[in-house]
Amino acid sequence: MFVIITYDIGEKRVSKVCKKLREYLDWTQNSVFEGEITKGKLTRCLAELKSIMSDEDSIYLYKVENPKAIVKEVIGEDRSFDRLFL
Amino acid sequence: MFVIITYDIGEKRVSKVCKKLREYLDWTQNSVFEGEITKGKLTRCLAELKSIMSDEDSIYLYKVENPKAIVKEVIGEDRSFDRLFL
């Protein structure tokens, strides 16, 4: 399936959460990750994220079973590509 | 259709972009908006956003034709509700 994950995480934990998300998904912009992932890997990813998260943190997950059902468009500069090389 | 819009906008223009997005969609978290919208309204929204945007700005748009094809889950605190009343 295709997922989009956005997060609102306290400063102290944000780098840990990003590092974890990078193991499973592609970073796109600000606090947004996306990518194709299996149900099993997603379950593992979320369990690992929960172990890092604190009470005030939140993660928003959008799941689309069929990756062809979602279309992505970039308006303006596509920064996700540049930053691969930073 | 259902759309998710995330943005990476220069500080000077960010409040204008947010204000515009609020006219069409629901704010969820950080720089993320979501909601159901018609093709016509989306075209208008994007044209209006482009008139505000500068060269270095970018907007990521995810479109799902059938709103039932996308499932949203919140892990942790759902802040979008709290902030409606701020």
Side-chain angles (χ1 to χ4, degrees), chain A residues 55-71:
Chain A
D55 285 350
E56 70 264 35
D57 297 338
S58 59
I59 282 178
Y60 286 62
L61 165 68
Y62 299 90
K63 298 190 284 188
V64 182
E65 202 65 49
N66 173 12
K68 288 181 184 165
I70 192 160
V71 175

Side-chain angles (χ1 to χ4, degrees), chain B:
Chain B
M1 77 180 103
F2 186 88
V3 301
I4 300 163
I5 288 184
T6 75
Y7 57 80
D8 193 351
I9 303 283
E11 219 181 310
K12 285 181 186 170
R13 295 170 298 280
V14 78
S15 69
K16 270 193 176 178
V17 164
C18 276
K19 204 179 152 197
K20 184 52 67 186
L21 282 166
R22 271 178 206 273
E23 289 175 25
Y24 292 93
L25 297 166
D26 302 312
W27 178 81
T28 58
Q29 187 197 51
N30 287 330
S31 51
V32 183
F33 282 79
E34 63 168 51
E36 287 194 43
I37 191 167
T38 62
K39 277 189 186 172
K41 278 193 180 171
L42 180 62
T43 304
R44 202 163 67 214
C45 174
L46 294 178
E48 289 170 354
L49 288 171
K50 280 177 193 164
S51 74
I52 302 169
M53 288 167 75
S54 183
D55 285 350
E56 70 265 35
D57 297 338
S58 60
I59 282 178
Y60 286 62
L61 164 69
Y62 300 90
K63 297 190 285 189
V64 182
E65 202 65 50
N66 174 10
K68 286 180 185 166
I70 192 160
V71 175
K72 183 183 174 186
E73 269 177 43
V74 179
I75 295 117
E77 206 173 301
D78 189 348
R79 296 186 178 184
S80 54
F81 187 72
D82 295 353
R83 291 188 189 166
L84 285 176
F85 302 101
L86 290 183

Side-chain angles (χ1 to χ4, degrees), chain A residues 38-52:
Chain A
T38 62
K39 275 189 187 174
K41 278 193 181 172
L42 180 62
T43 304
R44 201 163 68 214
C45 174
L46 294 178
E48 289 169 355
L49 288 172
K50 280 177 193 165
S51 74
I52 302 168

Side-chain angles (χ1 to χ4, degrees), chain A residues 14-31:
Chain A
V14 78
S15 68
K16 272 194 175 176
V17 164
C18 275
K19 206 179 151 199
K20 184 53 66 190
L21 282 166
R22 272 178 206 273
E23 289 176 25
Y24 293 93
L25 298 166
D26 303 311
W27 177 80
T28 58
Q29 187 198 51
N30 287 331
S31 49

